[in-house]
Amino acid sequence: MALTSSMNWGINLLISLTFLTVTELIGLSWVCFIYTIMSLASLAFVIMFIPETKGCSLEQISMELAKQRFVRTPLCGVSQRREKLVPVELAKREKEQLY
């Protein structure tokens, strides 16, 4: 959540600082077109890659994501074993729920 908020604030700052300059250089209609393309690209990313978590607790989300054998971290592109990413307590809870 902290990374997402930081990215949001950073992108908002970047747009605020460059909007008037870019508008003078290429025109308002092109700036709006570029922002539209970026918004559609982000919408496609969310639809394709972000799982639905409505009504789920954080523990349930963690367990669902941990069921994958390997998790690919998008920041560094390094695969990590599931055991390193899932706390031991969550694994115990999953076993208790099965019984």
Side-chain angles (χ1 to χ4, degrees):
M1 293 295 291
L3 178 65
T4 304
S5 289
S6 299
M7 290 283 293
N8 186 23
W9 279 93
I11 297 297
N12 286 336
L13 178 65
L14 182 67
I15 289 172
S16 298
L17 292 175
T18 61
F19 180 77
L20 292 177
T21 306
V22 174
T23 303
E24 289 177 4
L25 291 174
I26 63 174
L28 181 61
S29 59
W30 283 105
V31 172
C32 290
F33 179 72
I34 291 170
Y35 289 158
T36 302
I37 296 300
M38 290 178 5
S39 296
L40 290 175
S42 64
L43 178 64
F45 174 80
V46 168
I47 289 172
M48 293 171 55
F49 295 110
I50 307 298
E52 177 62 49
T53 57
K54 183 178 181 181
C56 296
S57 67
L58 291 176
E59 288 83 10
Q60 291 171 333
I61 295 169
S62 295
M63 293 307 288
E64 287 298 319
L65 292 175
K67 286 182 181 178
Q68 300 172 1
R69 176 97 174 129
F70 290 93
V71 177
R72 188 154 188 94
T73 57
L75 293 177
C76 61
V78 177
S79 295
Q80 298 178 1
R81 290 188 89 31
R82 175 180 67 158
E83 293 80 16
K84 292 181 181 178
L85 298 175
V86 181
V88 177
E89 294 177 20
L90 291 177
K92 289 179 184 177
R93 288 183 191 174
E94 183 181 71
K95 289 179 183 178
E96 290 173 359
Q97 290 176 357
L98 293 175
Y99 297 112

